Amino acid sequence: MNTPISWIKAYVPDLDCSVQEYVDKMTLSGSHVENAVYLDKNLEKIVVGRVDKIEKHPDADKLIVCQVNIGDETTQIVTGAPNVTLGALVPVVLDGGRVAGGHDGSPNPENGIKIKKGKLRGVVSNGMMCSIEELGSSREMYSEAPEDGIYIFSEKSGVKPGDDAVEALGLRDAVVEFEITSNRVDCFSMVGMAREAAATFEKDFYPPIVKETGDDDDVNKYIAVEVLDTELCPRFTARVVKNIRIAESPEWMKRRLAAMGIRPINNIVDITNYVMEEFGQPMHAYDLDTIRGHKIVVKRAEDGDTFTTLDGQERQLDHDVLMINDAEGPVGIAGIMGGENSMVTDQMTTLLFEAANFDGTNIRLSSKRIGLRTDASGKFEKGLDPENALAAINRACQLVEELDAGDVVGGVVDVYPNPVEPVTLPFEPEKYNKLLGTEIAPETMLGYFDRLGIAYDKETNLLDIPSFRQDLRCSADMAEEAARFFGYDNIPTTLPHAEATAGKKSFAARVEEVLMNVAEQNGFCGGMTYSFESPKVFDKLLMDPEDPLRKAIVISNPLGEDYSIMRTVELNGILTSLAGNYNHRNKDVRLYEFGNVYLPKALPLTELPEERKRLALAMYGDCDFFTLKGVLEEMFIKLGLSERASFEPSKEKTFLHPGRQALVYVDGVYAGFIGQVHPEVCENYDMKCEAYVAALDLPVIVDKATFDRKYEGVARYPSVNRDLALVMDKGIFVGDVVKVMKEKGGKLLESVQLFDVYEGSQIAAGKKSVAFSLVFRSSERSLEAAEVNKLVDKILKELETMGVELRA
């Protein structure tokens, strides 16, 4: 929000401080200042001069010699400006003064341009007449300034020789840019910021007094208004002005608008812009003669409708866009921009003013949907105060009368079916002080509130919250108001009023911490990748065309095609990172990532998708399938899952090598996968190496994990060891053999350890020799050899049914 200090002073006339003091104190009271621009920066010793005499330069055809009255003396200035005339009142920079920049509008030096007395082609020149560009502004803001020449004050300006030219041009000012939060809609107006300034500096606040306007005529004879969607348009007001007299706006209005960065156009357009900035209420003006049937209907557009806005662009509409219509069709997009078919022209004779209130969320979404954002939509989308609409339209009509821009018709059309309910809050100074850690007196607090327009009823002990303060809804809000005027820097350091509580991590967080620690202890580095992906990912991963994971959520406003869907597979990001490391020639890279996948329950979405957190591991270099499998097994040991987790060979995952992959189960529930990345997938990611990946579904792991541990004392009885060398087909998995051993060995089998695998000349083709060390022990007695041999025989007998034999 840009606020010229001179405009603020119009409502707070006693505000007497430097710009820096204003900036500092407003920031400390909660109105954060982003920047302050001095309009008179580098403008020194510039006065109004009157050209009393003009002579030709003796040695230059394009130069003239002027005698200029600067108040207390007449000085000689040589100029080449083509528009200098006798009697012209012009800005003159004197010897030793400064201007902001060049006549061509070139970038201004930091310290401006210093003007010195000198000679032009042999003739003394004691200064320089200035163009508007040399004064740091432009023709866009000062439309009366010539395109090529010096600035000449109009007869209406009332200036005289010797006056401060910078002041006369309204440049003895500073524009302060505030960062306004969305909940402070009242501060998106000059009146709102002036109220804040008055409260901050403890000065009297004089808002504009809106006077009754209009003749004895009745506005209802000219226009009727019907609002069909009161949810999107809570209030709609309209007034009519006859006998429009288009003219130039007065200097004070043009200068205030120019300081705001708004180009003055004419009295009618300037009034709507002026009120929008003054009251923070956007307005729109229609040529009443173009409103068919002299009726306004506010309703939603139909899907597929089109409408041409004032900028000449055809806009595509849908049912969610609110439109302003006349009796036959649309004439404007509510809260955003009017249409070509009702635009104001110089030939207009009767004007229709509109000041309405629209649903902020709808305006924001509609503006984005149709690709058009305006100053009006920027204000409406914040959620304006419906009570402000009537005051704003009456203020506009008051200005019409003051500027003699037309004849205001009496009365106002005001469609306001559900007025805003008054808001009251209990006055609780003790609660505010306890929250803030302060000891502010109740009377002091009430003084702060009174300056903000918040009334207090002593009998009921209630605070009446004005409608424009939509951010004040609870005691914490009121405490904040007290704090910012008491001074945040004055609040002492205090301990919080609360009981100490023992905090701890959630069970899921502890599980994730264990997984992360094990991964990092094994040399893995953590990463984080985007949840947004490209649909091309599925092809890169060789996923089947009918794979349900291809049914991903499409993002409605993607950054681009490469970020247009929500990921359903956890591998693309980490494989992309792995490939980046490979192509930077990093060796032995190991990465892990915790991230969500987004699985829609139905498409198009009817409810929020299922978000499942996954742990992804990826590696290449000095590693193989069993290296990664060992990392998972270590994780399972730490989480109490080692006896309940299993790895089942599979060919299900198309992105993994068909002969080197397995599915992970915990208590028979699918919990993830592990395997070597398919060679074609590696090529798709530009990796010419073997890579290995694994993924765990954290909801399953968290559900099955346990940190409960049962203590077992040191064994009191000796163990009995048996080593078995077994011959079996290569296709038989060692895990299946171990499973049989544990099942048949019973409680006395303490452990099974694989210690050798051999394939060679002493073993038949298609066979392998696998050696295990079995440890038997009882916690109650010493075992006898016969008892252990019986268990071993039982194991071997069961293994024979699988085709496993004792090696000779």
Side-chain angles (χ1 to χ4, degrees):
M1 177 69 186
N2 292 328
T3 60
I5 291 183
S6 61
W7 200 344
I8 293 290
K9 289 183 177 180
Y11 312 125
V12 192
D14 296 332
L15 185 63
D16 184 19
C17 61
S18 68
V19 174
Q20 192 59 52
E21 289 173 336
Y22 177 79
V23 166
D24 292 343
K25 202 159 185 180
M26 290 295 285
T27 297
L28 288 174
S29 69
S31 301
H32 176 65
V33 174
E34 283 284 314
N35 189 26
V37 177
Y38 294 79
L39 300 185
D40 58 354
K41 182 180 180 181
N42 299 326
L43 302 181
E44 299 175 7
K45 297 181 70 175
I46 302 175
V47 300
V48 175
R50 185 182 66 226
V51 180
D52 287 345
K53 186 177 181 181
I54 300 176
E55 297 175 329
K56 290 185 177 180
H57 193 289
D59 294 324
D61 293 338
K62 294 186 178 180
L63 298 178
I64 56 176
V65 181
C66 301
Q67 302 301 319
V68 182
N69 182 347
I70 56 173
D72 54 356
E73 63 176 310
T74 298
T75 189
Q76 180 171 286
I77 296 177
V78 179
T79 182
N83 64 325
V84 177
T85 59
L86 198 64
L89 292 164
V90 298
V92 177
V93 55
L94 304 177
D95 179 32
R98 291 182 186 275
V99 292
H103 179 75
D104 59 354
S106 57
N108 301 346
E110 181 62 28
N111 298 317
I113 299 173
K114 190 169 185 177
I115 304 301
K116 296 181 180 180
K117 177 181 178 180
K119 290 184 178 181
L120 289 177
R121 301 291 293 269
V123 177
V124 174
S125 182
N126 297 315
M128 182 182 77
M129 302 180 194
C130 303
S131 68
I132 197 65
E133 289 81 8
E134 287 163 334
L135 296 173
S137 191
S138 67
R139 291 185 65 248
E140 186 175 26
M141 296 300 124
Y142 291 80
S143 57
E144 70 275 15
E147 184 175 354
D148 183 20
I150 61 173
Y151 183 86
I152 299 178
F153 289 98
S154 68
E155 295 179 0
K156 297 179 180 179
S157 62
V159 298
K160 62 183 184 299
D163 286 352
D164 183 346
V166 178
E167 179 74 30
L169 286 166
L171 295 175
R172 195 68 73 191
D173 198 1
V175 177
V176 179
E177 179 186 357
F178 288 96
E179 180 187 5
I180 306 298
T181 55
S182 298
N183 64 328
R184 287 302 306 273
V185 293
D186 58 304
C187 289
F188 287 95
S189 68
M190 293 303 303
V191 169
M193 288 311 304
R195 184 185 294 108
E196 287 290 307
T200 299
F201 289 90
E202 300 184 41
K203 302 294 183 181
D204 291 333
F205 172 53
Y206 299 94
I209 299 174
V210 181
K211 299 177 181 178
E212 184 177 349
T213 56
D215 56 21
D216 296 331
D217 208 347
D218 183 5
V219 68
N220 294 289
K221 298 177 182 178
Y222 295 82
I223 190 69
V225 176
E226 182 180 9
V227 178
L228 299 183
D229 195 323
T230 56
E231 182 179 348
L232 298 185
C233 179
R235 190 174 197 180
F236 193 102
T237 65
R239 296 199 68 174
V240 172
V241 180
K242 302 181 297 183
N243 305 320
I244 293 297
R245 295 178 282 278
I246 300 290
E248 190 177 339
S249 297
E251 290 294 317
W252 64 267
M253 179 175 284
K254 291 196 296 183
R255 298 299 163 252
R256 286 183 181 178
L257 291 175
M260 295 286 290
I262 299 174
R263 181 172 62 92
I265 298 175
N266 60 48
N267 50 5
I268 296 299
V269 175
D270 292 350
I271 285 171
T272 61
N273 287 331
Y274 186 88
V275 173
M276 179 173 72
E277 298 302 332
E278 184 179 46
F279 277 74
Q281 171 66 50
M283 298 182 59
H284 191 69
Y286 302 92
D287 184 344
L288 184 60
D289 293 332
T290 66
I291 303 298
R292 294 160 294 190
H294 283 198
K295 182 177 182 179
I296 291 292
V297 180
V298 184
K299 64 178 182 178
R300 294 172 181 258
E302 298 292 334
D303 291 334
D305 282 356
T306 60
F307 180 69
T308 302
T309 47
L310 276 171
D311 57 3
Q313 298 293 315
E314 185 175 84
R315 309 289 176 176
Q316 300 295 321
L317 310 175
D318 60 33
H319 181 68
D320 291 323
V321 178
L322 190 66
M323 300 296 295
I324 308 298
N325 303 267
D326 59 16
E328 298 181 20
V331 294
I333 303 177
I336 300 177
M337 184 177 281
E340 275 189 333
N341 56 353
S342 62
M343 65 187 298
V344 171
T345 66
D346 291 345
Q347 289 72 45
M348 175 182 61
T349 59
T350 308
L351 171 74
L352 171 65
F353 267 139
E354 164 215 311
N357 184 262
F358 302 111
D359 178 75
T361 301
N362 177 264
I363 295 298
R364 178 176 60 82
L365 294 176
S366 296
S367 177
K368 189 172 184 179
R369 192 179 297 111
I370 66 176
L372 178 61
R373 195 170 190 271
T374 61
D375 289 341
S377 68
K379 291 185 182 294
F380 275 123
E381 66 188 25
K382 306 295 189 301
L384 300 183
D385 174 19
E387 294 291 312
N388 200 32
L390 183 60
I393 201 168
N394 286 337
R395 172 64 168 163
C397 290
Q398 178 184 349
L399 290 171
V400 167
E401 290 192 348
E402 289 180 3
L403 303 187
D404 193 29
D407 301 326
V408 179
V409 174
V412 58
V413 177
D414 186 6
V415 180
Y416 194 18
N418 301 302
V420 173
E421 295 292 333
V423 175
T424 59
L425 293 174
F427 178 52
E428 303 170 304
E430 298 85 0
K431 191 173 183 179
Y432 308 155
N433 279 323
K434 186 175 182 180
L435 183 63
L436 299 173
T438 57
E439 294 181 359
I440 307 172
E443 296 77 14
T444 303
M445 291 186 186
L446 289 174
Y448 299 152
F449 299 159
D450 182 63
R451 298 206 301 269
L452 293 169
I454 302 170
Y456 173 64
D457 187 333
K458 188 174 182 179
E459 292 185 4
T460 61
N461 194 42
L462 291 177
L463 298 168
D464 294 323
I465 308 301
S467 61
F468 57 79
R469 288 304 303 270
Q470 299 177 28
D471 59 311
L472 303 181
R473 291 297 181 266
C474 65
S475 60
D477 296 331
M478 301 312 302
E480 181 184 15
E481 295 302 291
R484 64 193 188 96
F485 291 106
F486 175 72
Y488 293 118
D489 52 332
N490 294 324
I491 297 178
T493 302
T494 57
L495 293 174
H497 297 279
E499 296 180 359
T501 57
K504 66 176 184 178
K505 293 182 179 179
S506 66
F507 183 80
R510 291 170 63 198
V511 170
E512 289 181 23
E513 185 177 47
V514 167
L515 296 172
M516 179 182 67
N517 289 340
V518 172
E520 292 182 351
Q521 289 162 9
N522 282 277
F524 286 79
C525 295
M528 181 178 292
T529 61
Y530 289 114
S531 297
F532 300 165
E533 290 186 338
S534 167
K536 298 175 183 177
V537 165
F538 303 124
D539 293 331
K540 290 179 71 175
L541 293 174
L542 307 180
M543 294 176 66
D544 189 277
E546 302 301 322
D547 194 316
L549 293 179
R550 282 181 176 265
K551 297 177 180 179
I553 301 166
V554 178
I555 300 168
S556 59
N557 56 340
L559 299 174
E561 185 182 1
D562 289 343
Y563 303 97
S564 60
I565 63 170
M566 302 296 291
R567 66 180 175 189
T568 58
V569 183
E570 57 272 70
L571 288 185
N572 176 64
I574 201 165
L575 285 179
T576 301
S577 298
L578 206 66
N581 279 275
Y582 177 83
N583 288 299
H584 282 84
R585 304 191 178 187
N586 294 328
K587 297 181 179 180
D588 302 325
V589 175
R590 302 184 178 194
L591 301 174
Y592 75 90
E593 178 191 14
F594 289 99
N596 288 348
V597 294
Y598 302 85
L599 308 176
K601 299 173 184 176
L603 288 177
L605 287 177
T606 56
E607 56 182 314
L608 291 175
E610 181 182 9
E611 298 184 30
R612 296 191 73 85
K613 200 167 191 177
R614 301 279 173 84
L615 167 63
L617 301 155
M619 62 197 304
Y620 70 77
D622 185 17
C623 59
D624 58 18
F625 177 93
F626 297 104
T627 305
L628 188 54
K629 181 171 180 283
V631 174
L632 294 187
E633 288 176 335
E634 185 177 347
M635 291 177 174
F636 293 152
I637 290 172
K638 296 285 187 181
L639 296 175
L641 301 175
S642 58
E643 298 298 323
R644 298 149 56 197
S646 62
F647 297 83
E648 303 293 337
S650 171
K651 296 183 180 181
E652 177 183 315
K653 305 297 182 183
T654 56
F655 44 79
L656 298 179
H657 191 295
R660 299 172 189 173
Q661 61 172 283
L663 302 182
V664 181
Y665 292 89
V666 178
D667 290 340
V669 178
Y670 173 76
F673 60 82
I674 180 176
Q676 179 184 336
V677 179
H678 196 290
E680 286 187 35
V681 174
C682 280
E683 289 183 12
N684 291 341
Y685 283 90
D686 200 21
M687 289 191 293
K688 296 179 175 59
C689 65
E690 291 185 358
Y692 299 88
V693 295
L696 294 178
D697 190 45
L698 291 187
V700 173
I701 299 299
V702 170
D703 181 60
K704 301 294 184 181
T706 177
F707 292 109
D708 294 338
R709 300 292 184 269
K710 184 178 180 181
Y711 171 74
E712 294 183 3
V714 177
R716 298 173 57 189
Y717 299 98
S719 64
V720 177
N721 293 11
R722 292 287 188 272
D723 291 343
L724 298 179
L726 304 174
V727 178
M728 63 191 76
D729 292 338
K730 288 184 179 181
I732 296 177
F733 293 106
V734 171
D736 293 337
V737 174
V738 172
K739 189 175 181 180
V740 169
M741 290 179 175
K742 290 182 177 180
E743 181 181 336
K744 298 301 178 181
K747 295 181 179 180
L748 297 180
L749 180 59
E750 186 177 78
S751 66
V752 178
Q753 184 69 41
L754 171 70
F755 67 86
D756 182 56
V757 177
Y758 173 74
E759 296 179 24
S761 57
Q762 300 180 23
I763 303 296
K767 301 283 187 177
K768 61 183 176 182
S769 172
V770 184
F772 297 90
S773 176
L774 282 67
V775 178
F776 296 88
R777 190 196 307 269
S778 172
S779 60
E780 300 174 350
R781 55 189 173 81
S782 295
L783 295 177
E784 297 180 357
E787 187 178 7
V788 172
N789 291 338
K790 186 176 180 181
L791 290 174
V792 171
D793 291 342
K794 187 176 180 182
I795 290 171
L796 292 174
K797 185 176 180 180
E798 182 64 26
L799 290 176
E800 285 178 4
T801 62
M802 298 171 56
V804 179
E805 300 177 352
L806 194 64
R807 182 177 175 182

